[in-house]
């Protein structure tokens, strides 16, 4: 009996271990790999290509992303032998394999047999075969086909130890011409609404049906709010619900696929490659369904960026923000990081030599567990002819990007030797750690009803984010379901939709000693997007120690001035006109317009903590920076003063600096720091890694 019990115990331990395997061991730091599409190259080149991937130092290979036709050339006839062969070749080269579900590229026979699964655009046009991502993930017929091919793949490879993980689909939502306006989506939207509201009366109330007689009598009458078929723009409440539904349905589709993969696999992790900063699909909704959180990022594709070299370096803040968001959801990293020039920008310049290497080191510093690049070989046919890969068009010569990936991998291998499992986050950094609270609902609601063309929600967020990075404050981007109570600082920018619970949590947080920073447009509406039947933004008056009776915004070309500590700042998009209560400190005032002298930013001490309310959105974010800097200084956390495009992070004992500016930058290292990679003076597009003694 005793033996049986201990055997059972051992088995349970083993099963437990199998369910929580260490897919991304800490001491490995970061691993680098590449996409390879064997189905697009002659069989006799597979072994050579795989060897060359290994010679570049890559540690894993990513396959099967758009290969549905090759996996199921006719309905129900599966062919995975070619994939098996490549998995074998990869394993012989010591490469781990990420396999993909092919749902982003349904084969012609499927679409011919079931044209109803194709998505419909806002003009009512059904898409056709001839490009990827043309099917509607809300179509039950399509979902059945996806479930079948996923099941076959998972049965075949789910227990294959050579397969390390899975990627579902490709950039869900990106290529779909926006939303799908198909009947299948409309039908699911109605079901979702029924579930949310229960009765049509409740929906009418939430959507404000009394305005313009927009009353529904039953759920079947509801259509997707489509700007193309509405005489005046959509009802904002209906649109907000549709956006919520759409993100939910994307997460539901991912979960459907993830569940199948999990059912048949034991030791493999599952992810999808989300679009960086995409507003339509919310990765946070996939917590619990996915094991890793990866995304795609192409920093250089013709945008200008900051400074003369910005167009060759990419946007430091956007990249880092993604890391700081996705890292909180699980093991994370970019699944597609640019390998060189791309083909789809307005113009497609070269990244600055060294920039690709720098991006990889930035990912390392920000805590990424993996970096993968799209793609190994440059395509010779198809839509992406001018897209670089790690190999040139001859299929064998490493490209400049290929050499940079190789060098980065060498660096990581070197850094692994210096890994110290006992490394603790430096106290000063921990004391500045900031929760950055975002909600997709807010972003949708504000963007749906901006009130001024000058407003840009993402740009507003990034003004604060850049200020934080320049102060070398570690940032965790959190959705409101997460606990922020332990952070010394919380920034919640333009937090338009609130409920009582959030206000209670904010109040408790501050009373207990936290520093809360709220910004313009906060708490104007409830979770349905209705204004309060109360004073404007009244639910936060006690919290911020002030009233916000009104706001202003200025026409394009007109700039208002705000003054703080004797410095002038320009604004134009949004200005809350604040009336502080007695005891609330004035931080900034309007210096012109008919409300000259009125407060633009205030600070309220509440219990052991403070609430800073910055009611104005300045053109360049300098006021936001200066007020944050003052607050962090007063809180005793000695903020740094870096260029916001010179990113300094700490990870597992390593300090990492990456220079996205067009100037030389000095790393903030002590005199006896050990410089492991790079130099103290970092060139544009360069990086340095060091350890403090
Ligand atoms: C996206 C896609 C890839 C590929 C690249 C090209 O990120 O996910 O399949 O098309 O763009 O840059």
């Amino acid at each position: 009996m005793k033996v049986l019990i201990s055997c059972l115990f051992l088995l349970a331990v083993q099963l437990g271990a199998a369910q929580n395997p260490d897919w991304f061991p800490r001491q490995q730091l970061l691993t680098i790999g590449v996409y390879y599409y064997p189905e697009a190259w002659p069989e006799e080149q597979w072994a050579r290509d795989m060897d060359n991937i290994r010679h570049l130092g890559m540690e894993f290979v990513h396959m099967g992303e758009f290969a549905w036709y090759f996996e199921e050339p006719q309905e129900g006839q599966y062919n995975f032998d070619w994939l098996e062969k490549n998995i074998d070749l990869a394993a012989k080269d010591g490469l781990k394999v990420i396999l993909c579900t092919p749902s982003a590229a349904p084969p012609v026979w499927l679409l011919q047999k079931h044209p109803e699964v194709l998505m419909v655009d806002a003009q009512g046009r059904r898409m056709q075969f001839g490009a990827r991502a043309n099917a509607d993930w809300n179509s039950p017929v399509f979902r059945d086909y996806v479930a079948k091919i996923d099941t076959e793949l998972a049965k075949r490879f789910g227990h294959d130890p050579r397969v390390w993980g899975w990627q579902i689909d490709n950039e869900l939502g990106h290529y779909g011409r926006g939303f799908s306006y198909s009947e299948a989506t409309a039908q699911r939207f109605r079901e979702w609404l029924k579930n949310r509201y229960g009765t049509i009366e409740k929906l009418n109330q939430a959507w404000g049906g009394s305005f313009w007689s927009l009353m529904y009598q039953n759920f079947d009458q509801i259509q997707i709010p489509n700007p193309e078929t509405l005489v005046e723009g959509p009802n904002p409440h209906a649109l907000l619900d549709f956006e919520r539904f759409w993100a939910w349905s994307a997460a539901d589709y991912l979960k459907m696929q993830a569940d199948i993969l999990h059912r048949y696999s034991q030791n493999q992790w599952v992810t999808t490659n989300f679009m960086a900063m995409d507003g339509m699909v919310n990765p946070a909704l996939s917590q619990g369904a996915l094991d890793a959180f990866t995304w795609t990022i192409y920093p250089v594709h013709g945008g200008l960026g900051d400074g003369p070299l910005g167009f060759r370096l990419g946007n430091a803040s956007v990249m880092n923000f993604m890391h700081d968001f996705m890292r909180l959801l699980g093991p994370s990293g970019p699944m597609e990081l640019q390998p060189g020039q791309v083909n789809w920008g307005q113009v497609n310049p070269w990244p600055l030599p060294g920039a690709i290497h720098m991006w990889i080191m930035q990912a390392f510093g920000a805590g990424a567990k993996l970096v993968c690049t799209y793609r190994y070989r440059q395509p010779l046919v198809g839509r992406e002819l001018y897209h670089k890969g790690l190999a040139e068009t001859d299929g064998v010569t490493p490209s400049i990007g290929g050499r940079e990936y190789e060098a980065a991998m060498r660096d990581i291998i070197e850094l692994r030797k210096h890994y110290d499992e006992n490394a603790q986050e430096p106290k000063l950094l921990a004391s500045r750690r900031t929760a950055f609270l975002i909600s997709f609902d807010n972003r949708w609601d504000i963007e749906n009803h901006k009130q001024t063309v000058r407003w840009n929600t993402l740009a507003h967020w990034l003004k604060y984010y850049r200020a934080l990075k320049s102060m070398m404050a570690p940032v965790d981007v959190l959705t409101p379901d997460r606990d922020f109570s332990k952070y010394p600082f919380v920034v919640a920018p333009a937090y338009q939709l609130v409920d009582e619970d959030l206000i209670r949590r904010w109040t408790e947080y501050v009373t207990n000693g936290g520093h809360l920073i709220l910004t313009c447009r906060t708490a104007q509406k409830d979770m349905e997007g209705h204004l309060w039947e109360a004073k404007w933004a009244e639910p936060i008056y006690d919290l911020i120690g002030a009233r916000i009776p009104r706001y202003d915004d200025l026409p394009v070309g007109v700039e208002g001035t705000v003054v703080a500590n004797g410095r002038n700042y320009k604004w134009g998009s949004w200005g809350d006109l604040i009336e502080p209560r007695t005891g609330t400190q004035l931080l900034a005032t309007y210096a012109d317009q008919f409300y000259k002298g009125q407060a633009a930013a205030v600070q309220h001490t509440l219990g052991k903590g403070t609430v800073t309310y910055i009611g104005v959105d300045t053109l360049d974010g300098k006021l936001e920076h200066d007020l944050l800097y003052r607050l962090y200084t007063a809180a005793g956390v000695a903020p740094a003063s870096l260029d916001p495009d010179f990113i300094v992070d700490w990870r597992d004992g390593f300090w990492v600096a990456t220079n996205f500016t067009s100037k030389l930058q000095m790393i903030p290292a002590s005199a006896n720091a050990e410089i492991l990679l790079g130099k103290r003076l970092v060139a544009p597009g360069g990086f340095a890694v060091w350890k403090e003694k």
Side-chain angles (χ1 to χ4, degrees):
M1 186 63 180
K2 230 179 175 177
V3 175
L4 180 68
I5 290 176
S6 55
C7 280
L8 281 176
F9 175 72
L10 259 184
L11 184 71
V13 169
Q14 274 166 9
L15 279 179
Q19 278 154 18
N20 289 302
D22 198 4
W23 292 307
F24 305 96
R26 266 189 86 176
Q27 67 277 14
Q28 181 193 263
L29 301 175
L30 173 86
T31 178
I32 306 180
V34 66
Y35 282 47
Y36 182 57
Y37 295 92
E39 68 279 16
W41 304 104
E43 186 168 351
E44 53 279 13
Q45 294 180 352
W46 292 347
R48 179 202 70 187
D49 288 352
M50 212 60 89
D51 288 351
N52 286 343
I53 289 173
R54 184 63 201 175
H55 291 150
L56 274 183
M58 300 297 96
E59 295 186 324
F60 66 90
V61 63
H62 173 290
M63 294 189 288
E65 192 186 32
F66 300 113
W68 198 334
Y69 175 81
F70 297 89
E71 293 168 347
E72 192 181 2
Q74 292 298 336
E75 183 163 2
Q77 288 176 19
Y78 299 102
N79 176 10
F80 300 124
D81 293 346
W82 62 275
L83 201 52
E84 172 95 41
K85 235 179 232 169
N86 278 279
I87 293 172
D88 199 49
L89 290 171
K92 286 196 178 116
D93 273 313
L95 296 163
K96 288 175 285 191
V97 173
I98 298 178
L99 281 189
C100 300
T101 69
S103 48
V108 66
W109 56 258
L110 193 164
L111 299 180
Q112 203 174 21
K113 184 170 170 195
H114 292 288
E116 76 277 15
V117 309
L118 284 158
M119 64 174 300
V120 174
D121 75 0
Q123 280 85 32
R125 298 174 299 198
R126 194 170 280 290
M127 297 298 105
Q128 61 177 39
F129 181 73
R132 61 182 162 178
N134 46 10
D136 189 331
W137 65 66
N138 286 311
S139 152
V141 176
F142 184 62
R143 289 166 76 100
D144 274 357
Y145 276 97
V146 171
K148 272 188 223 149
I149 181 84
D150 283 7
T151 304
E152 293 303 320
L153 267 168
K155 276 186 184 164
R156 174 82 175 249
F157 299 113
H159 284 87
D160 192 328
R162 299 167 301 181
V163 177
W164 180 41
W166 293 87
Q167 177 193 299
I168 295 169
D169 209 88
N170 169 259
E171 289 190 332
L172 207 59
H174 181 46
Y175 292 97
R177 301 178 70 90
F179 303 118
S180 175
Y181 295 84
S182 68
E183 190 41 41
T185 289
Q187 196 44 43
R188 280 199 104 201
F189 180 42
R190 290 179 199 120
E191 283 158 24
W192 184 86
L193 290 170
K194 242 183 251 172
N195 211 24
R196 181 175 173 83
Y197 292 109
T199 66
I200 200 69
E201 289 73 27
K202 285 213 175 108
L203 177 136
N204 282 327
Q205 207 175 15
W207 286 15
S210 57
F211 191 66
W212 292 347
S213 258
L214 298 180
M215 301 293 286
Y216 293 94
Q217 295 155 309
N218 59 63
F219 286 92
D220 295 336
Q221 293 166 331
I222 294 171
Q223 292 175 326
I224 299 169
N226 180 350
E228 295 295 326
T229 56
L230 290 163
V231 171
E232 233 173 288
N235 173 347
H237 313 294
L239 191 54
L240 177 61
D241 265 350
F242 184 65
E243 286 166 316
R244 284 171 169 153
F245 156 77
W246 184 258
W248 167 83
S249 78
D252 179 65
Y253 180 57
L254 289 172
K255 183 171 180 337
M256 178 202 89
Q257 295 207 45
D259 285 352
I260 294 171
L261 298 172
H262 283 134
R263 193 170 314 136
Y264 293 96
S265 76
Q266 224 177 12
N267 274 312
Q268 298 159 339
W269 50 272
V270 179
T271 190
T272 187
N273 57 346
F274 289 102
M275 278 291 295
M277 302 307 245
D278 173 48
M280 288 159 71
V281 172
N282 176 0
L285 297 179
S286 291
Q287 291 169 94
L290 301 179
D291 309 295
F293 288 80
T294 66
W295 68 98
T296 67
I297 181 105
Y298 291 81
V300 170
H301 54 267
L304 283 181
D306 283 335
L309 292 175
F311 75 100
R312 296 199 190 279
L313 293 169
N315 187 320
S317 320
V318 169
M319 291 179 78
N320 232 57
F321 190 89
M322 278 312 285
H323 286 292
D324 286 347
F325 175 37
M326 302 295 265
R327 188 186 58 241
L328 275 290
L329 303 178
S332 68
M335 187 60 96
E336 287 181 40
L337 180 67
Q338 190 163 359
Q341 277 166 302
V342 297
N343 66 299
W344 45 264
Q346 294 287 313
V347 294
N348 295 291
W350 267 104
L352 192 72
I356 295 172
H357 193 164
M358 174 186 72
W359 299 330
I360 300 170
M361 299 320 283
Q362 186 206 30
F364 166 65
K369 300 287 188 189
L370 65 81
V371 168
C372 186
T373 185
Y374 173 88
R375 48 187 286 155
Y376 175 61
R377 287 183 67 172
Q378 174 158 357
L380 308 179
V381 295
R383 287 262 306 163
E384 294 182 350
L385 287 179
Y386 289 88
H387 200 292
K388 285 300 209 178
L390 297 192
E392 297 286 8
T393 42
D394 63 8
V396 288
T397 310
S399 63
I400 294 181
R403 290 296 184 209
E404 292 196 26
Y405 275 88
E406 183 183 30
M409 192 65 244
R410 266 201 313 267
D411 284 348
I412 297 294
I413 289 169
E414 177 58 29
L415 293 178
R416 287 176 186 159
K417 296 181 198 151
H418 298 266
Y419 171 72
D420 168 10
E421 63 176 5
N422 298 316
Q424 295 283 329
E425 183 180 38
K427 287 215 170 61
L428 191 57
L429 282 190
S431 72
R432 299 180 195 142
R433 188 165 281 278
T434 303
F436 197 95
L437 218 57
I438 62 161
S439 114
F440 280 64
D441 285 11
N442 279 332
R443 188 168 166 197
W444 294 325
D445 192 64
I446 298 183
E447 291 293 321
N448 290 346
H449 206 152
K450 293 210 281 198
Q451 184 66 352
T452 158
V453 291
R454 294 180 83 169
W455 179 266
N456 178 328
T457 308
L458 197 56
H460 180 76
W461 290 359
L462 289 179
K463 283 172 195 165
Y464 285 90
Y465 182 77
R466 287 169 69 75
L468 292 168
K469 293 313 289 184
S470 75
M471 300 193 304
M472 253 168 81
V475 178
D476 289 342
V477 178
L478 301 181
T479 43
D481 52 302
R482 305 288 293 246
D483 180 18
F484 51 76
S485 64
K486 302 287 179 312
Y487 287 82
F489 301 91
V490 173
V491 176
Y495 216 95
Q496 186 158 277
L497 307 185
V498 298
D499 56 15
E500 271 176 23
D501 185 52
L502 183 61
I503 295 194
R504 183 190 51 74
R505 287 167 65 205
W506 279 347
T507 309
E508 256 172 46
Y509 166 73
V510 176
T511 316
N512 292 333
H515 297 289
L516 175 66
I517 297 101
L518 298 176
T519 82
C520 54
R521 306 192 78 142
T522 291
Q524 292 177 354
K525 300 179 180 177
D526 66 15
M527 295 308 288
E528 301 298 355
H530 297 193
L531 296 175
W532 306 101
E533 190 169 0
K535 298 278 187 321
W536 188 259
E538 188 167 356
I540 53 165
Y541 286 5
D542 287 344
L543 186 60
I544 68 170
R547 301 190 325 129
I548 312 171
R550 61 191 73 85
Y551 66 87
D552 196 17
D553 54 61
L554 303 174
V556 177
V558 177
E559 289 174 3
T561 304
V562 168
V563 62
N565 287 313
R567 274 190 72 174
N568 285 348
Y569 304 87
K570 296 287 177 200
W571 73 280
S573 61
W574 197 278
D576 282 329
L577 309 181
I578 307 171
E579 288 178 1
R581 291 180 184 160
T582 320
T584 299
Q585 199 193 332
L586 194 63
L587 299 180
T589 46
Y590 293 98
D592 56 17
Q593 311 301 322
F594 67 89
Y595 38 78
K596 183 174 173 183
Q598 190 148 356
V602 293
Q603 191 175 89
H604 181 215
T605 303
L606 184 66
K608 295 191 212 145
T610 63
V611 186
T612 303
Y613 189 89
I614 305 175
V616 65
D617 178 53
T618 65
L619 299 185
D620 55 10
K622 284 220 164 62
L623 172 75
E624 291 86 329
H625 167 272
D626 291 354
L627 294 182
L628 250 56
Y629 190 86
R630 257 180 78 182
L631 172 71
Y632 280 55
T633 306
V637 301
S641 288
L642 302 176
D643 186 309
D645 292 315
F646 183 53
I647 303 281
V648 179
D649 275 318
W650 182 94
R651 178 244 172 107
D652 289 321
F654 300 96
W655 289 85
V656 184
T658 46
N659 186 3
F660 287 73
T661 77
S662 302
K663 294 186 280 215
L664 284 168
Q665 300 286 348
M666 181 65 84
I667 60 170
S670 70
N672 57 1
E674 185 189 359
I675 310 295
L676 300 173
L677 297 172
K679 299 202 174 88
R680 284 177 187 261
L681 207 52
V682 184
F687 66 89
V689 181
W690 69 98
K691 280 195 149 193
E692 292 292 351
K693 299 260 162 65

